[in-house]
Amino acid sequence: MKRILMIFLSLASMTNLTAQDQDYSDSLEVFLIDSYVSIEKPYKINISFFTSDSAKSSIILPGLGEIKVSSESSDYHELKMDISEYRADSSLIKYKIKVVDRNNIEFVYDDFEAELPQTLLKDQAGYDIVSSLCIGSLIFALPSVGIVFDGEEYVSFSKEIPILSKYDVGYNYPQYYFALEYTHILKYNIKNLMTTKFNYVFTVGGIEYISPGLGYVTNFSGQNGLSTELSVGLFKVFDSFTFFTKFKNSYFFSSGNQNYTEISIGLYSNVFSFSL
């Protein structure tokens, strides 16, 4: 009889312990602190939360799966992750928080969300490409602006288009390139000029490059000559463009030994150039 009573008490104690463990598990709560995606690149999702007791945690993101947050038990949990390549159907990304308590019992909590930048929506991917091409084309179309000196000063507008470029391995700029350059000089006696030229490019420290060039210039009306120039690439603009300043001298054979000097600034790009 005494042995039966001890077994009964032992079972009662185990039942009570299990009940206490279940009560503890049921009391584990999640308190969200931050839930947002940064509005500028790189787009990072930021999620942080407290749990009512120490626990391991992870986030379940649609399309990305389960992502570990706290691999060791803690009451504070934080996730910062780059999702710049992520694309969603909705402007809200809905996710779940999964926690594992000290008894290795898992709990999954729904109904958490964060607002996404418009650029991460699937229907915006094509728009991003088109808008980037449009912006790049507009920048590429911008002419160089300069001052022509020939006894007096004249305003000039030029556009250089590299046609053929020769690259070496590991270089951001070509070793040399062939280009066409159209120049319009306001109120000058030779207003419209086309230059076919060859430029060699030296990359140097502190700036982007130094590029001497030699060209044949004509107005297609009997006024022909040679031009020499020195272009200095100062810094990058939007990765594909380089801001430069250029010193150019043009000499005409059939115009009373006329020549002029031009100083200009502009943007260089070889994105439409063919590689040799």
PDB file of all heavy atoms in Angstrom, residues 20 38 73 193 213 241:
ATOM      1  N   GLN A  20       3.254  22.972 -15.316  1.00  0.00           N
ATOM      2  CA  GLN A  20       4.003  24.206 -15.129  1.00  0.00           C
ATOM      3  C   GLN A  20       4.762  24.580 -16.400  1.00  0.00           C
ATOM      4  O   GLN A  20       4.793  25.738 -16.798  1.00  0.00           O
ATOM      5  CB  GLN A  20       4.974  24.040 -13.953  1.00  0.00           C
ATOM      6  CG  GLN A  20       4.291  24.013 -12.604  1.00  0.00           C
ATOM      7  CD  GLN A  20       5.287  23.805 -11.480  1.00  0.00           C
ATOM      8  OE1 GLN A  20       6.485  23.650 -11.730  1.00  0.00           O
ATOM      9  NE2 GLN A  20       4.803  23.798 -10.252  1.00  0.00           N
ATOM     10  N   SER A  38      14.456  49.967 -45.311  1.00  0.00           N
ATOM     11  CA  SER A  38      15.068  51.266 -45.605  1.00  0.00           C
ATOM     12  C   SER A  38      14.630  51.745 -46.988  1.00  0.00           C
ATOM     13  O   SER A  38      14.423  50.950 -47.907  1.00  0.00           O
ATOM     14  CB  SER A  38      16.591  51.166 -45.540  1.00  0.00           C
ATOM     15  OG  SER A  38      17.070  50.173 -46.425  1.00  0.00           O
ATOM     16  N   SER A  73      19.729  31.413 -26.978  1.00  0.00           N
ATOM     17  CA  SER A  73      18.584  31.947 -26.252  1.00  0.00           C
ATOM     18  C   SER A  73      18.838  33.386 -25.815  1.00  0.00           C
ATOM     19  O   SER A  73      19.901  33.713 -25.271  1.00  0.00           O
ATOM     20  CB  SER A  73      18.279  31.077 -25.026  1.00  0.00           C
ATOM     21  OG  SER A  73      17.832  29.806 -25.440  1.00  0.00           O
ATOM     22  N   LEU A 193      31.353  72.493 -87.023  1.00  0.00           N
ATOM     23  CA  LEU A 193      32.570  71.734 -87.334  1.00  0.00           C
ATOM     24  C   LEU A 193      32.396  70.274 -86.940  1.00  0.00           C
ATOM     25  O   LEU A 193      31.730  69.954 -85.941  1.00  0.00           O
ATOM     26  CB  LEU A 193      33.761  72.316 -86.581  1.00  0.00           C
ATOM     27  CG  LEU A 193      34.155  73.759 -86.935  1.00  0.00           C
ATOM     28  CD1 LEU A 193      35.094  74.318 -85.873  1.00  0.00           C
ATOM     29  CD2 LEU A 193      34.800  73.809 -88.306  1.00  0.00           C
ATOM     30  N   GLY A 213      44.963  64.033 -77.660  1.00  0.00           N
ATOM     31  CA  GLY A 213      44.302  63.612 -78.877  1.00  0.00           C
ATOM     32  C   GLY A 213      44.700  64.431 -80.080  1.00  0.00           C
ATOM     33  O   GLY A 213      45.144  65.580 -79.958  1.00  0.00           O
ATOM     34  N   PHE A 241      29.723  57.726 -66.402  1.00  0.00           N
ATOM     35  CA  PHE A 241      30.167  58.994 -66.972  1.00  0.00           C
ATOM     36  C   PHE A 241      31.328  59.560 -66.158  1.00  0.00           C
ATOM     37  O   PHE A 241      31.424  59.337 -64.948  1.00  0.00           O
ATOM     38  CB  PHE A 241      29.016  60.004 -67.012  1.00  0.00           C
ATOM     39  CG  PHE A 241      27.842  59.547 -67.830  1.00  0.00           C
ATOM     40  CD1 PHE A 241      26.815  58.814 -67.243  1.00  0.00           C
ATOM     41  CD2 PHE A 241      27.766  59.834 -69.179  1.00  0.00           C
ATOM     42  CE1 PHE A 241      25.735  58.378 -67.992  1.00  0.00           C
ATOM     43  CE2 PHE A 241      26.692  59.409 -69.936  1.00  0.00           C
ATOM     44  CZ  PHE A 241      25.675  58.676 -69.342  1.00  0.00           C
TER      45      PHE A 241
END
